[in-house]
Amino acid sequence: MLERVNGLKRALAAGTPAIGVWCSLATPLTTEVIAGSGADWLLIDGEHSPNDLRSIVAQLQAAGAYPTCEPAVRLPSDDPNLIKQIMDGGARSLMVPNVRTADQARTIVAAMTYAPGGFRGFSVGHRANAFGRIRNYHATAREQQLLAVQVECETGVANAAAIAAVPGVDALFVGPGDLSTNMGAMGNPSAPQVQASIAQVLKAARSQGKAAGILAPQQADAERYLKAGFTMVAVGSDLGLLARGSDDLVARFKPR
């Protein structure tokens, strides 16, 4: 058995835009609905959603029925033990929040990589290698892995080019909420200083031949970022779709 090609990694390497949807509801059923939507990728959120290892694995299983949609997992931190567990559970596309330095990025890459290149713990059979069925998995695992590191503070912005230059980093992904908050503009990613930093991250990623990504749930923002050159763009979330859809539905029947 051969490992399935990571379509998201291939698209980003080619400079092709890849449209994604955040999955925050922590249930396999809603993740399965998103996976079948035609999205190029989805993000199972382990940082700000009530997910644990078992619920993440269950969502990876649900998304696996849709091979054209690559499921990525955002970890709550850069803890190597969490990286090992999530990867053994079948995630090969990872997003790590608040990466501030190139050294931090190098450690994350090492945690994803078997020796001698890194220190990912070795296990003969797990979900990532189809329980031992993928031929030469341990020697070739890095080929289909993708790492998107989130830039969410001024330190990360200042070090963005150095972070992007780290081998094994595939994308710099802007977290506009945290970035705006950390820059004194909470809830206002459109603030001029935040927009300047977002543009700086894009420039840094492109200078190193890496992709840039961002979460942009407003259509006008998403279209603007795509036009600017961002290619890993999340355009909404399951939570947002349900909340706005239910609000709109109920409002139609409420007295005005």
Side-chain angles (χ1 to χ4, degrees):
M1 177 186 291
L2 298 176
E3 186 173 9
R4 177 173 54 83
V5 171
N6 187 328
L8 175 59
K9 182 170 185 171
R10 181 170 57 186
L12 296 181
T16 303
I19 302 303
V21 179
W22 230 248
C23 291
S24 301
L25 294 176
T27 67
L29 191 60
T30 53
T31 298
E32 184 178 12
V33 171
I34 298 299
S37 69
D40 300 304
W41 60 281
L42 58 81
L43 191 287
I44 301 168
D45 187 12
E47 183 185 15
H48 290 298
S49 299
N51 273 309
D52 58 18
L53 179 61
R54 287 180 179 271
S55 68
I56 289 171
V57 170
Q59 289 170 82
L60 290 169
Q61 290 173 314
Y66 300 88
T68 60
C69 181
E70 174 70 17
V73 175
R74 178 164 71 170
L75 286 88
S77 74
D78 61 359
D79 184 337
N81 291 312
L82 292 176
I83 291 172
K84 174 178 62 179
Q85 287 187 306
I86 293 296
M87 294 193 78
D88 283 358
R92 68 224 184 124
S93 296
L94 301 184
M95 185 178 292
V96 179
N98 199 23
V99 175
R100 301 172 298 282
T101 67
D103 284 342
Q104 183 185 3
R106 277 189 281 271
T107 300
I108 294 166
V109 173
M112 297 172 65
T113 307
Y114 291 117
F119 57 87
R120 178 183 174 187
F122 183 91
S123 175
V124 173
H126 42 59
R127 188 170 180 274
N129 71 345
F131 310 101
R133 297 186 179 102
I134 293 177
R135 188 167 65 248
N136 298 323
Y137 170 81
H138 297 87
T140 62
R142 283 293 297 150
E143 294 177 9
Q144 302 304 329
Q145 292 172 5
L146 179 141
L147 173 60
V149 297
Q150 287 199 271
V151 178
E152 302 184 282
C153 67
E154 290 174 286
T155 300
V157 173
N159 292 324
I163 294 169
V166 173
V169 171
D170 297 286
L172 302 185
F173 197 97
V174 177
D178 278 304
L179 182 59
S180 60
T181 298
N182 289 327
M183 295 186 71
M186 183 183 291
N188 184 21
S190 296
Q193 71 272 28
V194 181
Q195 285 296 303
S197 291
I198 290 172
Q200 186 176 336
V201 173
L202 172 63
K203 182 179 179 180
R206 297 178 76 173
S207 74
Q208 301 299 325
K210 304 295 177 70
I214 194 164
L215 173 60
Q218 299 298 319
Q219 183 173 343
D221 291 337
E223 291 175 346
R224 176 165 50 85
Y225 289 131
L226 285 163
K227 185 176 180 180
F230 284 88
T231 51
M232 186 181 180
V233 179
V235 297
S237 70
D238 54 1
L239 175 59
L241 289 166
L242 180 60
R244 301 293 81 75
S246 59
D247 288 351
D248 292 344
L249 177 62
V250 171
R252 294 178 211 164
F253 297 92
K254 289 285 190 178
R256 297 182 182 274

